PDB file of all heavy atoms in Angstrom:
ATOM      1  N   GLN A 207     177.722 -93.988 195.025  1.00 97.00           N
ATOM      2  CA  GLN A 207     177.639 -94.606 193.699  1.00 97.00           C
ATOM      3  C   GLN A 207     179.018 -95.017 193.195  1.00 97.00           C
ATOM      4  O   GLN A 207     179.184 -96.085 192.587  1.00 97.00           O
ATOM      5  CB  GLN A 207     176.969 -93.628 192.729  1.00 97.00           C
ATOM      6  CG  GLN A 207     175.504 -93.379 193.034  1.00 97.00           C
ATOM      7  CD  GLN A 207     174.946 -92.163 192.307  1.00 97.00           C
ATOM      8  OE1 GLN A 207     175.666 -91.435 191.629  1.00 97.00           O
ATOM      9  NE2 GLN A 207     173.652 -91.925 192.472  1.00 97.00           N
ATOM     10  N   MET A 208     180.028 -94.185 193.460  1.00 97.00           N
ATOM     11  CA  MET A 208     181.380 -94.531 193.024  1.00 97.00           C
ATOM     12  C   MET A 208     181.968 -95.663 193.862  1.00 97.00           C
ATOM     13  O   MET A 208     182.733 -96.489 193.337  1.00 97.00           O
ATOM     14  CB  MET A 208     182.291 -93.304 193.078  1.00 97.00           C
ATOM     15  CG  MET A 208     182.107 -92.360 191.899  1.00 97.00           C
ATOM     16  SD  MET A 208     182.412 -93.151 190.273  1.00 97.00           S
ATOM     17  CE  MET A 208     184.136 -93.648 190.455  1.00 97.00           C
ATOM     18  N   VAL A 209     181.616 -95.731 195.139  1.00 97.00           N
ATOM     19  CA  VAL A 209     182.067 -96.874 195.932  1.00 97.00           C
ATOM     20  C   VAL A 209     181.538 -98.172 195.326  1.00 97.00           C
ATOM     21  O   VAL A 209     182.274 -99.158 195.196  1.00 97.00           O
ATOM     22  CB  VAL A 209     181.618 -96.735 197.404  1.00 97.00           C
ATOM     23  CG1 VAL A 209     181.815 -98.047 198.157  1.00 97.00           C
ATOM     24  CG2 VAL A 209     182.391 -95.618 198.089  1.00 97.00           C
ATOM     25  N   ALA A 210     180.275 -98.174 194.917  1.00 96.00           N
ATOM     26  CA  ALA A 210     179.714 -99.357 194.257  1.00 96.00           C
ATOM     27  C   ALA A 210     180.466 -99.662 192.963  1.00 96.00           C
ATOM     28  O   ALA A 210     180.695-100.836 192.624  1.00 96.00           O
ATOM     29  CB  ALA A 210     178.227 -99.136 193.973  1.00 96.00           C
ATOM     30  N   ASN A 211     180.884 -98.622 192.260  1.00 97.00           N
ATOM     31  CA  ASN A 211     181.659 -98.803 191.032  1.00 97.00           C
ATOM     32  C   ASN A 211     183.022 -99.416 191.327  1.00 97.00           C
ATOM     33  O   ASN A 211     183.493-100.307 190.604  1.00 97.00           O
ATOM     34  CB  ASN A 211     181.812 -97.444 190.336  1.00 97.00           C
ATOM     35  CG  ASN A 211     182.277 -97.550 188.895  1.00 97.00           C
ATOM     36  OD1 ASN A 211     182.121 -98.585 188.250  1.00 97.00           O
ATOM     37  ND2 ASN A 211     182.848 -96.476 188.382  1.00 97.00           N
ATOM     38  N   PHE A 212     183.679 -98.958 192.406  1.00 97.00           N
ATOM     39  CA  PHE A 212     184.960 -99.556 192.795  1.00 97.00           C
ATOM     40  C   PHE A 212     184.789-101.040 193.109  1.00 97.00           C
ATOM     41  O   PHE A 212     185.585-101.880 192.686  1.00 97.00           O
ATOM     42  CB  PHE A 212     185.532 -98.874 194.049  1.00 97.00           C
ATOM     43  CG  PHE A 212     185.865 -97.411 193.889  1.00 97.00           C
ATOM     44  CD1 PHE A 212     185.586 -96.526 194.921  1.00 97.00           C
ATOM     45  CD2 PHE A 212     186.463 -96.924 192.740  1.00 97.00           C
ATOM     46  CE1 PHE A 212     185.893 -95.181 194.805  1.00 97.00           C
ATOM     47  CE2 PHE A 212     186.764 -95.578 192.616  1.00 97.00           C
ATOM     48  CZ  PHE A 212     186.485 -94.699 193.650  1.00 97.00           C
ATOM     49  N   VAL A 213     183.751-101.342 193.881  1.00 97.00           N
ATOM     50  CA  VAL A 213     183.525-102.725 194.287  1.00 97.00           C
ATOM     51  C   VAL A 213     183.250-103.601 193.070  1.00 97.00           C
ATOM     52  O   VAL A 213     183.696-104.760 193.003  1.00 97.00           O
ATOM     53  CB  VAL A 213     182.349-102.796 195.291  1.00 97.00           C
ATOM     54  CG1 VAL A 213     181.959-104.245 195.580  1.00 97.00           C
ATOM     55  CG2 VAL A 213     182.720-102.081 196.588  1.00 97.00           C
ATOM     56  N   ALA A 214     182.558-103.036 192.078  1.00 96.00           N
ATOM     57  CA  ALA A 214     182.249-103.786 190.856  1.00 96.00           C
ATOM     58  C   ALA A 214     183.436-103.862 189.895  1.00 96.00           C
ATOM     59  O   ALA A 214     183.392-104.608 188.915  1.00 96.00           O
ATOM     60  CB  ALA A 214     181.057-103.147 190.147  1.00 96.00           C
ATOM     61  N   GLY A 215     184.476-103.080 190.153  1.00 97.00           N
ATOM     62  CA  GLY A 215     185.666-103.124 189.305  1.00 97.00           C
ATOM     63  C   GLY A 215     185.615-102.214 188.101  1.00 97.00           C
ATOM     64  O   GLY A 215     186.391-102.383 187.159  1.00 97.00           O
ATOM     65  N   GLY A 216     184.708-101.210 188.118  1.00 98.00           N
ATOM     66  CA  GLY A 216     184.494-100.405 186.929  1.00 98.00           C
ATOM     67  C   GLY A 216     185.105 -99.027 186.921  1.00 98.00           C
ATOM     68  O   GLY A 216     184.860 -98.259 185.983  1.00 98.00           O
ATOM     69  N   ALA A 217     185.908 -98.682 187.915  1.00 98.00           N
ATOM     70  CA  ALA A 217     186.495 -97.342 187.983  1.00 98.00           C
ATOM     71  C   ALA A 217     187.893 -97.326 187.381  1.00 98.00           C
ATOM     72  O   ALA A 217     188.494 -98.376 187.100  1.00 98.00           O
ATOM     73  CB  ALA A 217     186.538 -96.862 189.431  1.00 98.00           C
ATOM     74  N   VAL A 218     188.423 -96.126 187.201  1.00 98.00           N
ATOM     75  CA  VAL A 218     189.773 -95.988 186.642  1.00 98.00           C
ATOM     76  C   VAL A 218     190.793 -96.702 187.513  1.00 98.00           C
ATOM     77  O   VAL A 218     191.688 -97.397 187.010  1.00 98.00           O
ATOM     78  CB  VAL A 218     190.140 -94.498 186.488  1.00 98.00           C
ATOM     79  CG1 VAL A 218     191.623 -94.345 186.122  1.00 98.00           C
ATOM     80  CG2 VAL A 218     189.275 -93.835 185.417  1.00 98.00           C
ATOM     81  N   VAL A 219     190.676 -96.554 188.833  1.00 98.00           N
ATOM     82  CA  VAL A 219     191.659 -97.200 189.699  1.00 98.00           C
ATOM     83  C   VAL A 219     191.633 -98.713 189.538  1.00 98.00           C
ATOM     84  O   VAL A 219     192.672 -99.376 189.615  1.00 98.00           O
ATOM     85  CB  VAL A 219     191.459 -96.792 191.181  1.00 98.00           C
ATOM     86  CG1 VAL A 219     190.198 -97.399 191.777  1.00 98.00           C
ATOM     87  CG2 VAL A 219     192.682 -97.163 192.008  1.00 98.00           C
ATOM     88  N   ASN A 220     190.454 -99.283 189.280  1.00 98.00           N
ATOM     89  CA  ASN A 220     190.369-100.723 189.049  1.00 98.00           C
ATOM     90  C   ASN A 220     191.099-101.120 187.770  1.00 98.00           C
ATOM     91  O   ASN A 220     191.837-102.116 187.742  1.00 98.00           O
ATOM     92  CB  ASN A 220     188.915-101.171 188.956  1.00 98.00           C
ATOM     93  CG  ASN A 220     188.107-100.864 190.187  1.00 98.00           C
ATOM     94  OD1 ASN A 220     187.341 -99.908 190.204  1.00 98.00           O
ATOM     95  ND2 ASN A 220     188.267-101.654 191.240  1.00 98.00           N
ATOM     96  N   ALA A 221     190.896-100.332 186.705  1.00 98.00           N
ATOM     97  CA  ALA A 221     191.566-100.629 185.443  1.00 98.00           C
ATOM     98  C   ALA A 221     193.080-100.525 185.589  1.00 98.00           C
ATOM     99  O   ALA A 221     193.826-101.394 185.114  1.00 98.00           O
ATOM    100  CB  ALA A 221     191.069 -99.675 184.347  1.00 98.00           C
ATOM    101  N   PHE A 222     193.549 -99.456 186.246  1.00 98.00           N
ATOM    102  CA  PHE A 222     194.985 -99.291 186.456  1.00 98.00           C
ATOM    103  C   PHE A 222     195.542-100.410 187.337  1.00 98.00           C
ATOM    104  O   PHE A 222     196.662-100.883 187.121  1.00 98.00           O
ATOM    105  CB  PHE A 222     195.272 -97.930 187.094  1.00 98.00           C
ATOM    106  CG  PHE A 222     195.149 -96.751 186.161  1.00 98.00           C
ATOM    107  CD1 PHE A 222     195.325 -95.462 186.636  1.00 98.00           C
ATOM    108  CD2 PHE A 222     194.863 -96.919 184.814  1.00 98.00           C
ATOM    109  CE1 PHE A 222     195.220 -94.359 185.791  1.00 98.00           C
ATOM    110  CE2 PHE A 222     194.751 -95.835 183.955  1.00 98.00           C
ATOM    111  CZ  PHE A 222     194.927 -94.554 184.454  1.00 98.00           C
ATOM    112  N   ALA A 223     194.771-100.827 188.342  1.00 98.00           N
ATOM    113  CA  ALA A 223     195.237-101.893 189.230  1.00 98.00           C
ATOM    114  C   ALA A 223     195.363-103.213 188.476  1.00 98.00           C
ATOM    115  O   ALA A 223     196.310-103.978 188.708  1.00 98.00           O
ATOM    116  CB  ALA A 223     194.283-102.037 190.414  1.00 98.00           C
ATOM    117  N   ARG A 224     194.426-103.475 187.575  1.00 98.00           N
ATOM    118  CA  ARG A 224     194.559-104.689 186.770  1.00 98.00           C
ATOM    119  C   ARG A 224     195.798-104.611 185.887  1.00 98.00           C
ATOM    120  O   ARG A 224     196.483-105.622 185.667  1.00 98.00           O
ATOM    121  CB  ARG A 224     193.293-104.897 185.932  1.00 98.00           C
ATOM    122  CG  ARG A 224     192.088-105.361 186.751  1.00 98.00           C
ATOM    123  CD  ARG A 224     190.908-105.763 185.871  1.00 98.00           C
ATOM    124  NE  ARG A 224     190.270-104.622 185.223  1.00 98.00           N
ATOM    125  CZ  ARG A 224     189.264-103.927 185.735  1.00 98.00           C
ATOM    126  NH1 ARG A 224     188.789-104.229 186.941  1.00 98.00           N
ATOM    127  NH2 ARG A 224     188.728-102.929 185.067  1.00 98.00           N
TER     128      ARG A 224
END
Side-chain angles (χ1 to χ4, degrees):
Q207 292 165 355
M208 281 301 299
V209 168
N211 195 22
F212 297 140
V213 172
V218 171
V219 71
N220 301 102
F222 285 177
R224 287 189 289 270

